[in-house]
Amino acid sequence: MKAAKVYDYDTERVPLIGNPTNRLTLATKDQVFINVIPETIKNPATEKVSIFLNKRGAFETHTTLVTGEGRGLYYWTRTAKTYTVIANKLYAGSSTTAIHTLATSTGTCFFTEVSGGTDYLVLSDGTDMVVIDTSDVVTDISDADMPAGPTAPATLDGYIFVVKSGTDEIYSSDVNIATAWTSTSFLSAEMYADNLVSLIRQVNYVVAFGTYSVEFYYDNANATGSPLKRADTVAMKVGLAARDTLAQVDRRILFVGQSQNGEPSVWQFNSLTPEKISNEFIDKILTNEGSNLTTAKGRIIQHKGHALYIVNLNARTLVYDLDEKIWTEWSTNSAGAHAVLPYNFFVQGANNTILCLHNTDGKLYVLNPATFTDTAGAILVKIVTGKLDFGNTHQKRLFRVELIADAQTSGTVSIDWTDDDYVTFQTARTLDLVTRPYTKSCGSFRRRAFRLQHSTNAAFRAEALEFDYSDGIH
C-alpha cells in the first residue's frame, strides 16, 4: 500500500552537473557552466555518487616583465626558472633583461628539453632555432643543413626532430648535438598526401601531425638518413585543425582535429589509442569559429586535483576535464561581462604552481586555487540549467527553490529564471550562502530554466537545486 503524502506538494532535487547543451553555436540558450570545475565524490561504503560544481581559482599577478605579445613559456626544472618569450625577446626567470633577441616578434614559439650528457633547451620561433644551456647562454643553430622554417621541435634518444615548413619532411639533428645537422637526415611522411604541421613526443614515438592525418615514428637506429621508421599500424586520418591546440600530459595528447569530410572536433591519444572527446555541442562551437579556428590555442594544466584542457577560441574559452570527462567554460571579467581568457601559455612551475603568460601585458600570472578574485576583477560564475518540467507539461506552482551548496563564511548567489525558452529572465533574487540559500513563492510554470550567478570574493561549491512544487492545472 502506497504511503499517503505528508505534504500537498512534491519535492524534487535536480543535480547541476552536465555538459553544455547549446542547440545553436552561441551560449544564449540551454545549459551553461562558466568558471567552475566538476567534482565527483563517491562514498566507498554506500557507493552513492555526489557531483559538485566548484569555483575555479584566481589568476593573480606573479611576475612583471615587459609589455608585448606573449609568444611562449617554459619551466625548466634543471634551472628552476621560467623561460618567457615576449615580442622578440627571451627572458629567464624574473629578470627584465633579455638573454636573447629573436629574428621574429610575432607567432607562437616552441620549446623542447634535452637531457643526458649535456642538458639544454631548444627554442624555435618558426624561422630560427637556438640552444639555451643551464647558464642561460644562448647559441644560434646556424648549420646550413638545418631545414628552413623549422617548427615544433621534438626530442627522442638525443635527436632533435623538426618539420620543414610547408612540406611532409621530418629532419633530425646529429645525435646528442643540437647544433649539427646533416642534409640527408630526413624522411617524408608518405602514408597520406598531406603536409606536416607539428611534431610531439609520445611515449617512445615521434608523432607527426598533418593537416588531415597523424603518423607515428620510432627510433629504428638506421645507419644512414633519418633514424626514424614509421609505425604503420597506428596512423589515423584526422589531422590538426589548429596547430597550437596540441598539448600533452602524462601519456595523453589532446588536439583540435579535422578530417576532409567532417566538422572539427577534439581528439585524445591515450598512449597510442585515439578517442574523440568532444560531443556534438562542442563540435558546433568549433565549427562556428570558421577560419578563426586555425588561431585557437590549447594547453593542459593540473588545477584543484583535475587535469584540464583549456582551449582559447576567438571569443570564448572551452575547458575539458580529463578526469570527469565533462566540458565547461572559463572566462575573464571584462567590465562585468564574460570574455575569453587572455592567457594562451601555461606551465607548472616551482612548488607545483600554475603560471600563465598574458597575451599582451608582459606579465606572468599564477592560478591560485585558494583565492577567489582575479587581478582583472571578480570571477563571474554562471550556471544555467536546461528547461525543467519534471516529466510533463502540466502547469506547476513552485513554492520553494533551494540551492544545495556548501555553507560559506560570506557570499551570496543570485538566482533568476526564464519561462519563455531563455528569451527573458525574471528579476533576480539573492540567496545567502552563510545561512540557507533558498527563496519562496516562485510563481507558476510549465517548463522553466534557472540561472545562478556568483561573483563575491569567496569560495563556492554547489551540488543541486531542490524544488517544492505542486502539479495542478493540465
Side-chain angles (χ1 to χ4, degrees):
M1 181 176 179
K2 187 176 180 180
K5 291 174 62 176
V6 178
Y7 303 105
D8 194 23
Y9 57 80
D10 294 308
T11 298
E12 194 86 31
R13 181 173 290 190
V14 178
L16 291 173
I17 196 68
N19 279 304
T21 56
N22 45 287
R23 74 192 79 169
L24 306 172
T25 56
L26 302 178
T28 55
K29 293 180 182 288
D30 307 305
Q31 290 188 151
V32 175
F33 308 93
I34 302 180
N35 289 324
V36 291
I37 299 170
E39 293 185 338
T40 299
I41 300 175
K42 182 176 181 179
N43 186 311
T46 64
E47 296 190 351
K48 179 182 178 181
V49 174
S50 299
I51 306 178
F52 295 83
L53 293 175
N54 193 6
K55 185 177 181 178
R56 69 162 171 84
F59 290 99
E60 301 176 330
T61 303
H62 181 269
T63 304
T64 300
L65 295 170
V66 294
T67 302
E69 180 185 331
R71 302 178 61 198
L73 185 65
Y74 193 88
Y75 180 77
W76 195 8
T77 56
R78 184 67 175 81
T79 61
K81 292 179 184 177
T82 54
Y83 291 80
T84 309
V85 181
I86 298 176
N88 66 339
K89 303 293 185 183
L90 171 64
Y91 300 89
S94 59
S95 174
T96 57
T97 300
I99 63 172
H100 185 69
T101 299
L102 301 173
T104 61
S105 56
T106 62
T108 299
C109 291
F110 301 89
F111 291 87
T112 192
E113 181 178 339
V114 179
S115 60
T118 302
D119 295 340
Y120 53 88
L121 291 180
V122 175
L123 165 63
S124 168
D125 66 357
T127 297
D128 297 315
M129 286 204 304
V130 300
V131 171
I132 308 158
D133 70 15
T134 54
S135 298
D136 295 337
V137 175
V138 181
T139 304
D140 280 297
I141 302 178
S142 56
D143 192 317
D145 289 329
M146 185 184 73
T151 59
T155 63
L156 179 67
D157 297 341
Y159 295 97
I160 305 296
F161 298 96
V162 296
V163 170
K164 181 178 180 180
S165 180
T167 74
D168 61 359
E169 297 171 353
I170 304 171
Y171 279 75
S172 59
S173 70
D174 293 354
V175 65
N176 296 322
I177 311 176
T179 55
W181 296 69
T182 301
S183 61
T184 56
S185 294
F186 75 95
L187 57 71
S188 297
E190 297 177 335
M191 181 170 284
Y192 301 108
D194 194 9
N195 282 341
L196 295 180
V197 179
S198 192
L199 302 176
I200 197 168
R201 164 82 177 270
Q202 173 74 333
V203 198
N204 290 322
Y205 293 86
V206 173
V207 189
F209 283 84
T211 307
Y212 298 108
S213 62
V214 182
E215 296 183 17
F216 283 68
Y217 294 86
Y218 62 93
D219 183 357
N220 196 50
N222 301 319
T224 60
S226 173
L228 297 179
K229 184 176 182 179
R230 184 174 58 231
D232 294 337
T233 58
V234 287
M236 186 174 75
K237 202 73 169 70
V238 172
L240 272 178
R243 181 196 63 183
D244 294 346
T245 61
L246 187 58
Q248 186 175 48
V249 62
D250 51 60
R251 297 170 67 90
R252 294 173 286 185
I253 52 178
L254 283 81
F255 61 99
V256 176
Q258 63 184 358
S259 65
Q260 291 178 304
N261 57 356
E263 295 178 330
S265 52
V266 183
W267 286 80
Q268 170 183 267
F269 274 102
N270 191 343
S271 190
L272 305 182
T273 304
E275 176 190 6
K276 182 177 180 289
I277 60 173
S278 59
N279 55 37
E280 63 269 32
F281 307 109
I282 298 300
D283 291 351
K284 281 189 286 188
I285 293 172
L286 297 176
T287 300
N288 189 57
E289 287 287 293
S291 60
N292 287 325
L293 185 60
T294 60
T295 65
K297 303 289 192 296
R299 293 295 184 270
I300 299 173
I301 66 170
Q302 296 277 353
H303 181 55
K304 292 194 172 184
H306 295 254
L308 305 172
Y309 180 48
I310 300 175
V311 182
N312 269 349
L313 301 176
N314 184 51
R316 62 202 297 184
T317 300
L318 303 178
V319 180
Y320 178 70
D321 190 315
L322 278 72
D323 304 304
E324 304 292 352
K325 304 184 187 307
I326 291 175
W327 288 91
T328 58
E329 292 187 53
W330 284 9
S331 72
T332 192
N333 189 332
S334 177
H338 296 273
V340 64
L341 285 185
Y343 321 104
N344 287 331
F345 303 99
F346 296 79
V347 295
Q348 184 171 309
N351 302 315
N352 295 315
T353 57
I354 298 299
L355 299 176
C356 53
L357 174 62
H358 195 280
N359 295 341
T360 58
D361 72 8
K363 296 179 181 179
L364 294 179
Y365 289 76
V366 61
L367 180 54
N368 190 338
T371 56
F372 308 102
T373 294
D374 293 335
T375 299
I379 300 173
L380 305 176
V381 171
K382 181 179 178 181
I383 302 167
V384 181
T385 72
K387 289 180 288 186
L388 306 176
D389 57 18
F390 305 118
N392 61 65
T393 57
H394 301 169
Q395 189 83 357
K396 298 107 179 158
R397 180 166 296 279
L398 183 57
F399 302 107
R400 174 187 66 94
V401 57
E402 182 166 349
L403 177 64
I404 309 303
D406 293 348
Q408 305 294 343
T409 56
S410 64
T412 60
V413 176
S414 72
I415 186 170
D416 54 6
W417 49 79
T418 173
D419 296 338
D420 58 1
D421 198 22
Y422 305 92
V423 176
T424 57
F425 283 80
Q426 302 299 312
T427 301
R429 302 184 185 186
T430 299
L431 307 181
D432 189 349
L433 289 171
V434 178
T435 55
R436 185 181 174 191
Y438 77 100
T439 186
K440 291 182 171 181
S441 302
C442 303
S444 59
F445 69 99
R446 294 184 186 276
R447 307 186 75 193
R448 175 174 288 182
F450 294 82
R451 180 171 62 185
L452 298 162
Q453 298 185 88
H454 177 273
S455 59
T456 52
N457 185 14
F460 174 71
R461 193 177 74 148
E463 180 183 2
L465 286 172
E466 187 172 276
F467 305 93
D468 289 339
Y469 72 98
S470 64
D471 188 339
I473 304 172
H474 286 219

